[in-house]
């Protein structure tokens, strides 16, 4: 899946991940104001199909679109690219950066560590 999404593509994917199956009109309804034009959203969805992020099935005279990639898979890959690109692949360096730059408190860090440890046991 090594393809990255643009901001607009990711916004459309967020809607499709939420709705699971939607027409262009239904996607537009979920987007914030100002709403983009129908043709704009339709074009972005076709690009997402080319990138193999989205599939479609016929519905009436149009199509319904659905994600081909799980949100968790995309999130995981994006996080690893961020970690590799900016933090030399070091999770410790990334967490340290976010602690310093975002003024993370010790309770938030402990919560993260509990999640990490819980996931290691699974």
């Amino acid at each position: 899946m090594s393809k990255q999404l643009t901001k607009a593509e990711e916004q459309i994917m967020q809607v499709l991940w939420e709705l699971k199956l939607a027409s262009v009109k239904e996607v537009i309804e979920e987007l914030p104001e100002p709403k983009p034009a129908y043709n704009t959203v339709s074009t972005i969805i076709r690009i997402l199909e080319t990138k193999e992020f989205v599939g479609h099935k016929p519905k009436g005279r149009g199509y319904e679109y659905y994600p081909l990639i799980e949100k968790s898979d995309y999130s995981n890959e994006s996080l690893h690219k961020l970690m590799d690109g900016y933090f030399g692949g070091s999770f410790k360096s990334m967490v340290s950066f976010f602690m310093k730059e975002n003024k993370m408190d010790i309770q938030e860090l402990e919560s993260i560590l509990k999640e990490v440890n819980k996931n290691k046991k699974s």
Side-chain angles (χ1 to χ4, degrees):
M1 168 190 27
S2 62
K3 299 173 185 121
Q4 282 297 109
L5 298 175
T6 66
K7 187 175 180 178
E9 291 167 350
E10 192 166 332
Q11 190 175 27
I12 301 294
M13 285 304 299
Q14 292 291 349
V15 172
L16 288 173
W17 282 321
E18 180 71 29
L19 297 178
K20 311 276 191 268
L21 185 67
S23 66
V24 172
K25 183 176 182 269
E26 290 167 329
V27 169
I28 293 169
E29 288 171 4
E30 297 297 315
L31 294 171
E33 294 290 342
K35 304 280 187 196
Y38 183 95
N39 287 344
T40 302
V41 174
S42 180
T43 298
I44 293 169
I45 289 175
R46 282 196 305 277
I47 291 167
L48 288 167
E49 283 189 288
T50 301
K51 289 183 171 184
E52 298 179 347
F53 276 83
V54 170
H56 73 270
K57 66 179 195 172
K59 182 182 181 191
R61 295 190 313 155
Y63 296 102
E64 286 187 311
Y65 300 92
Y66 54 89
L68 294 174
I69 293 183
E70 295 291 327
K71 182 177 183 177
S72 60
D73 292 339
Y74 181 75
S75 299
N76 189 36
E77 185 170 314
S78 294
L79 182 60
H80 278 88
K81 282 184 180 183
L82 175 72
M83 193 167 63
D84 292 343
Y86 292 95
F87 304 102
S90 168
F91 181 73
K92 180 181 176 185
S93 294
M94 186 174 72
V95 171
S96 177
F97 171 82
F98 283 107
M99 282 190 66
K100 289 177 197 166
E101 295 299 316
N102 296 303
K103 317 271 187 293
M104 185 184 295
D105 63 30
I106 196 74
Q107 286 83 12
E108 288 175 301
L109 180 59
E110 286 176 350
S111 175
I112 290 169
L113 291 173
K114 283 179 186 174
E115 277 298 311
V116 168
N117 287 328
K118 184 171 77 174
N119 288 331
K120 279 184 178 178
K121 293 174 184 174
S122 306

